[in-house]
Amino acid sequence: MTDTQKCAPCRQIFIVSDGTAITAETLAHSIMTQFPDLDYHQTRIPFVNTVEKALETAQRINQVEKEEGLRPIIFTTFVDPDIMRTFNEHVSGHIIDLFRKFVGPLETELGMKSAHSIGQSHRIRDDAKYNRRIAAIDYTLQHDDGQTNRGLDEADVILVGVSRSGKTPTSLYLAMQFGIKVANYPLIPEDFDRGSLPDALIPLREKLFGLSIKPERLSEIRNERRPNSRYASIENCRQEIADAEGLMAREGIRWLNSTTKSIEEISATIMADLGLDKRRNS
């Protein structure tokens, strides 16, 4: 369990499930982004899969409300009715039961009962797709940050951009969620001085997609890694980004600014622009 962090004043959001809580967290995040002015902290509590754990979790959340004086918002995906009942009876907060908001109406519409089984959303339903996803993750890890040029032509997409512009997390998201083989390649000062792409990328231009970022944000990120270095200085970040965007423009590479976009948004844009959805489903 993740310790609840303090943010004053803000609302505490809890995602509670008898499974991994990953599905609930994704949906809760999508809902909460509709309230951009709300200051909140999100805590995922997975595997609340016994009545005892449900009671313990309810008491923990109640304690947070007592300490902060604000009613928590609680997203739940309990499958077991006894666990759900125990939790709901003992917790104080605004409960949003994600499963029952959707599953009940669907049962009525479809004329059938749902499985009421924990972990159905993470069950392996298609061995071929699952194996492809594992292979994509392995490929993407091997081709992170320009580690190797071997097999670069097998990539579905090659992300380029300056160091710390979001290439690695986007690559892993595409591989893990969609089974897409992604290589990512840093653009460095030597490329800008030369005024052209690295030699290994030139024959693969149609697979390239660029990421950029605001200099101020890039400087913040780099300072976390190398404080007070030239690498992290705002002047260097501005120059690198200007050089990278200029190079991508000259080479006809599609790119976007990742500063205010989520990984999901970035990935959706890449897939649409490069037609990866069609390729993945073919």
Side-chain angles (χ1 to χ4, degrees):
M1 296 182 183
T2 302
D3 291 334
T4 304
Q5 296 179 0
K6 299 286 184 182
C7 51
C10 76
R11 295 295 285 268
Q12 295 291 341
I13 310 294
F14 291 92
I15 297 96
V16 187
S17 176
D18 43 15
T20 65
I22 292 173
T23 302
E25 184 175 42
T26 301
L27 186 51
H29 174 73
S30 297
I31 293 170
M32 295 311 300
T33 56
Q34 300 306 309
F35 302 92
D37 296 328
L38 178 67
D39 189 14
Y40 68 92
H41 177 260
Q42 188 168 297
T43 302
R44 178 165 61 94
I45 307 178
F47 305 119
V48 182
N49 48 17
T50 66
V51 168
E52 292 75 20
K53 288 181 180 179
L55 182 58
E56 176 190 333
T57 302
Q59 292 170 343
R60 169 189 171 186
I61 293 173
N62 292 345
Q63 183 62 33
V64 171
E65 179 180 7
K66 183 179 178 181
E67 292 173 358
E68 301 197 359
L70 288 173
R71 191 182 185 201
I73 298 168
I74 308 163
F75 293 90
T76 66
T77 52
F78 290 118
V79 173
D80 187 291
D82 292 330
I83 296 174
M84 176 194 68
R85 192 177 304 112
T86 299
F87 182 80
N88 289 356
E89 287 176 356
H90 290 88
V91 79
S92 176
H94 179 68
I95 300 173
I96 302 172
D97 187 334
L98 296 172
F99 270 2
R100 280 156 188 82
K101 278 192 178 296
F102 300 113
V103 174
L106 271 175
E107 286 181 333
T108 301
E109 174 65 25
L110 298 172
M112 63 174 66
K113 286 291 183 181
S114 61
H116 288 280
S117 177
I118 298 171
Q120 286 292 312
S121 62
H122 301 288
R123 187 178 65 178
I124 299 172
R125 300 176 63 93
D126 186 320
D127 286 341
K129 287 184 178 179
Y130 179 77
N131 290 334
R132 181 170 65 186
R133 195 160 72 234
I134 296 300
I137 294 169
D138 183 56
Y139 177 92
T140 300
L141 288 171
Q142 290 182 31
H143 291 80
D144 180 46
D145 205 31
Q147 289 183 67
T148 178
N149 294 336
R150 183 178 297 173
L152 207 54
D153 58 332
E154 297 175 21
D156 295 309
V157 58
I158 302 170
L159 299 183
V160 295
V162 299
S163 170
R164 313 303 287 181
S165 58
K167 300 186 300 301
T168 294
T170 302
S171 298
L172 289 172
Y173 182 85
L174 285 165
M176 293 173 70
Q177 293 294 321
F178 304 110
I180 291 171
K181 291 182 177 181
V182 187
N184 75 75
Y185 219 97
L187 296 177
I188 58 177
E190 285 82 353
D191 301 319
F192 309 143
D193 292 342
R194 191 175 60 251
S196 65
L197 291 169
D199 291 342
L201 300 184
I202 293 174
L204 304 169
R205 189 179 278 102
E206 75 282 357
K207 294 186 177 186
L208 303 183
F209 194 97
L211 294 183
S212 190
I213 189 172
K214 287 184 178 178
E216 295 78 11
R217 179 58 183 148
L218 181 62
S219 180
E220 287 177 11
I221 295 170
R222 287 182 171 185
N223 263 303
E224 292 174 5
R225 191 175 187 184
R226 298 185 196 169
N228 304 315
S229 63
R230 183 181 181 280
Y231 168 77
S233 70
I234 187 64
E235 295 81 9
N236 183 61
C237 290
R238 285 193 180 117
Q239 187 62 55
E240 282 193 31
I241 289 169
D243 289 341
E245 290 180 358
L247 177 59
M248 291 188 289
R250 290 195 303 276
E251 295 287 346
I253 299 170
R254 289 164 285 190
W255 62 274
L256 61 79
N257 191 302
S258 66
T259 308
T260 60
K261 296 184 182 298
S262 66
I263 289 176
E264 293 89 345
E265 289 178 284
I266 296 169
S267 299
T269 301
I270 292 170
M271 291 176 67
D273 280 7
L274 297 184
L276 293 177
D277 264 323
K278 295 177 183 177
R279 199 182 313 171
R280 184 170 57 93
N281 295 323
S282 62

